[in-house]
Amino acid sequence: MRKRNYAQTADQPVRDPALAAAYVRMSTEHQQYSTENQLDTIRLYALTHALEIVQVYTDAGKSGLRLKGRDALKQLFDDVESGQAMYSTILVYDVSRWGRFQDPDVSASYEVRCRQAGVSVQYCAEQFQNDGSPVSNIIKSVKRMMAGEYSRELSVKVFAGQSRLIELGYRQGGTAGFGLRRQLIDATGSSKGELTRGTHKSIQTDRVILVPGPREEIHVVQQIYRDFVEEGRSEREIADRLNANGVLTDLERPWTRGTVHQVLINEKYIGNNVWNRYSFKLKQQRMRNEPAQWVRSDAAFQPIVSQLLFVAAQEIIQTRSYRMPDQEMLRRLKGLYEQRGYLSGLLIDEAETCPSSSAYQNRFGSLLRTYSLIGYTPSRDYQYLEANRQLRLMHPRLLNETTEKIHAVGGQVVVDPTTQLLRLNDELAVSLVLCRCHISGAGTKRWKVRFDLGLNPDITIAVRMAPGEEMALDYYILPAVDMHTPHLRLAENNQSNLEIYRFSTLDMLADLSRRSHYRRAA
C-alpha cells in the first residue's frame, strides 16, 4: 500500500498523491492549443509520472486576458480551496494556459492559490521542472511576461488590421442600427446577402458593409431629423410620437430620449464609417477615446440622411447647450445626481432637464472633469482615464519638440504615422514613451516604463511626467541592448545603473543625431 506523505489536519484535507486534475483553456489563437491537443500532452505526462487524471476542467473559446467568464477555472479554485478535491496535482499544458495577463503576477497568484491549498501545479509542455527552484521560478516569470507580451503584440496587430478595414469602408462589429442593415460581400465586392441580427460572416475573406434598410425605417429616420431640425421638436417629443404610432427601435423596444439622440448624432446615417470611439483593449477598462483617435472613412456607405440636415442637427445640439451658462448646466447635473444617486453618460442623455452628455464633454473637457465640478466621484476609480487623456495630448507636443531639436542640429528624422516611431538619420529607430506618475498611499512617486518590444526600437525615450501629466520632469534615454525586460519601474531616486541614462533635457538625443564630417584618410 502506498504511504501518504502527509496527514489530514483541520486546515488541510487529505489528498491522494496519485490523483490529478487537468485544466485546459483554448481561445481562438492556434490549433496547437486546442483542448484535445493539450489533453493528449497532459495524459502522456500523467502516464509517465504515474498519475491518474480524475477530473478535467475545460474553458473552451475563452480569452486568457482575465478571469471573468472562465467558469471552469473558477470551479477549479472552488474545489481546491473548499477541500472537496481529493487530487493532489493540477496538470496544465503550459504557463500561458493560466492566462496572458499584462500583469504577470496575476498568473503567478493562480498557482499560489493552488499551492496554499495543498495542491501542486505541473506544466506538461514546458522544458523546466516546476520544483520551486530558483531556476524554474525565473523561467516561469519570463514565460508569464512573454505570454502577456504576446497578447499586447497581437492586440496592436489586430487594431492595425481593423483600422485598415475601416478606412477601406468595411463595417467592424456592432449592430447596424435602425434604418440600416448589414450586407455581406465577398472578396470581389459582390453581395452575398443580408446578415440578420445575431449572425456573423463565416469566411475570413468576406466583408460587411452597411446598406439602407426597409423603406419604412428609412422614412422614420428621415422624419426624426425633420422633426428635430425643421419642426423644433425635442428628442422626448419625437420619442413619444414614435411610441404613440407603435414604432419600435431596431431592438424592438420603445423609443426613449437617449435612443432618438443617438440617431441624431451618429454619422453612419450620412454614410460615414467611424470606429474606435470606445476601446476595450486587452480586456482592461472600457474607455471613451478622443475624436483624434477615432478611425474613420467618410462617404463609405450610401447615406439615408442628407449632409445638410445632419450638420443642422449637430449645430442645434451644440447651440442649445452653449446658450446655457456653465453654472446652470452644472446645477441641472447636480440635481440629476441628487435625484438618482449616480451619474452616467446614458443617464444624462435620458434626462430631459439636462443637456446631452456630449455637450458636457465639449463644455468642460470630459465627463469626469464635469463630475468633479459638482462633487460627484464614481464608485470606480476613473482617474487614470483623465491621466491617459492628458498623456495623449502631451505625446504629439513632445514628439514635435524632439523632432525640432534634431532638425536644429542638422539631423534627419522621420516619424512613422502608424507606429509613431522616429527614424533618426535612417539608422536608428526611437520610441517616445510617456510615463504616468503614480502616487502611492504613502505619497511616494513611481513611474512604469513599457517598452514597445513589438516595434523593436533601438532606443526608448522614457519621459517621466510630473503629477497631473501636464509637464515632463526628465528623460531616460534607454538603449535596447541594455534593457532586458518588457517593463521597467522607476522611483524618484534610482540606482546608479539607471541614473546614467537620465537627462534633464533632450539635448543629448539631439547630440546623438548630429552629423559629423570626417576627412578621408590619405
Side-chain angles (χ1 to χ4, degrees), residues 436-440 444-448 489-492:
R436 180 161 68 94
C437 180
H438 300 263
I439 301 179
S440 69
T444 58
K445 299 182 180 67
R446 294 289 186 271
W447 294 263
K448 183 177 182 180
R489 295 188 182 275
L490 298 174
E492 295 182 72

Side-chain angles (χ1 to χ4, degrees), residues 26-72:
M26 179 188 69
S27 56
T28 56
E29 45 206 50
H30 295 298
Q31 182 62 28
Q32 75 180 85
Y33 287 126
S34 71
T35 55
E36 292 81 6
N37 286 346
Q38 291 177 56
L39 282 173
D40 286 345
T41 301
I42 290 172
R43 289 188 180 108
L44 180 60
Y45 183 95
L47 181 63
T48 58
H49 289 78
L51 293 172
E52 178 186 355
I53 299 175
V54 294
Q55 189 162 355
V56 176
Y57 299 87
T58 304
D59 278 323
K62 300 298 182 181
S63 168
L65 292 169
R66 55 179 179 170
L67 182 59
K68 183 178 180 180
R70 296 167 64 181
D71 295 334

Side-chain angles (χ1 to χ4, degrees), residues 120-259:
S120 68
V121 176
Q122 297 297 324
Y123 301 107
C124 305
E126 299 286 10
Q127 300 301 311
F128 63 88
Q129 293 293 327
N130 193 22
D131 54 5
S133 65
V135 173
S136 69
N137 288 336
I138 291 173
I139 296 176
K140 276 194 297 184
S141 297
V142 172
K143 289 277 190 176
R144 288 168 184 142
M145 288 189 290
M146 290 172 59
E149 186 60 23
Y150 171 87
S151 291
R152 195 190 70 80
E153 291 182 1
L154 183 62
S155 174
V156 171
K157 294 176 182 177
V158 170
F159 180 81
Q162 290 177 315
S163 298
R164 177 61 177 162
L165 291 176
I166 289 294
E167 292 167 351
L168 291 174
Y170 299 124
R171 179 75 170 174
Q172 289 292 299
T175 60
F178 189 86
L180 297 168
R181 293 294 186 270
R182 295 182 301 149
Q183 185 178 84
L184 188 66
I185 60 175
D186 61 20
T188 66
S190 301
S191 173
K192 298 181 66 175
E194 177 186 315
L195 285 176
T196 58
R197 189 190 312 163
T199 59
H200 306 279
K201 69 185 184 75
S202 57
I203 302 177
Q204 188 174 8
T205 55
D206 286 349
R207 298 289 178 246
V208 178
I209 61 173
L210 292 184
V211 296
R215 184 178 300 275
E216 58 272 17
E217 289 189 19
I218 296 175
H219 174 75
V220 169
V221 172
Q222 294 171 342
Q223 189 62 48
I224 287 174
Y225 276 85
R226 285 195 293 268
D227 286 350
F228 186 73
V229 174
E230 299 172 1
E231 302 295 329
R233 300 180 187 273
S234 68
E235 290 97 326
R236 171 57 62 190
E237 291 174 328
I238 296 173
D240 290 342
R241 184 175 179 177
L242 291 172
N243 292 332
N245 292 333
V247 179
L248 297 176
T249 68
D250 56 310
L251 300 179
E252 298 182 354
R253 300 171 183 169
W255 290 85
T256 65
R257 180 184 185 273
T259 52

Side-chain angles (χ1 to χ4, degrees), residues 56 85 260 271 279 326 333 345 421 439:
V56 176
V260 172
S279 59
D326 290 359
L333 188 63
L421 281 181
I439 301 179

Side-chain angles (χ1 to χ4, degrees), residues 386-459:
E386 283 295 313
N388 289 346
R389 185 181 70 86
Q390 187 62 36
L391 289 179
R392 288 194 297 272
L393 294 175
M394 288 295 297
H395 191 272
R397 299 176 194 173
L398 291 175
L399 200 63
N400 290 335
E401 178 185 336
T402 305
T403 56
E404 289 172 3
K405 285 183 177 292
I406 294 171
H407 287 144
V409 298
Q412 298 178 357
V413 59
V414 177
V415 180
D416 189 305
T418 302
T419 65
Q420 297 295 295
L421 281 181
L422 291 83
R423 187 74 181 175
L424 268 61
N425 299 328
D426 202 26
E427 296 170 349
L428 295 175
V430 179
S431 171
L432 183 68
V433 178
L434 274 58
C435 307
R436 180 161 68 94
C437 180
H438 300 263
I439 301 179
S440 69
T444 58
K445 299 182 180 67
R446 294 289 186 271
W447 294 263
K448 183 177 182 180
V449 183
R450 190 187 299 274
F451 295 104
D452 287 325
L453 298 182
L455 302 178
N456 295 319
D458 300 299
I459 295 174

Side-chain angles (χ1 to χ4, degrees), residues 93-127:
Y93 181 79
D94 63 13
V95 172
S96 70
R97 295 306 88 198
W98 283 129
R100 297 185 181 276
F101 303 101
Q102 296 304 289
D103 184 353
D105 291 342
V106 176
S107 179
S109 70
Y110 290 175
E111 181 178 329
V112 170
R113 289 176 65 176
C114 297
R115 278 208 316 266
Q116 289 177 337
V119 179
S120 68
V121 176
Q122 297 297 324
Y123 301 107
C124 305
E126 299 286 10
Q127 300 301 311

Side-chain angles (χ1 to χ4, degrees), residues 22-23 45 57 101 133 137 180 251 254 287 295 309 341 369 387 421 460 469 471 495 506:
Y23 174 71
Y45 183 95
Y57 299 87
F101 303 101
S133 65
N137 288 336
L180 297 168
L251 300 179
M287 58 184 295
V295 182
L309 200 58
R369 179 175 172 79
L421 281 181
T460 295
E469 280 60 58
M471 62 177 293
Q495 298 176 355
L506 286 173

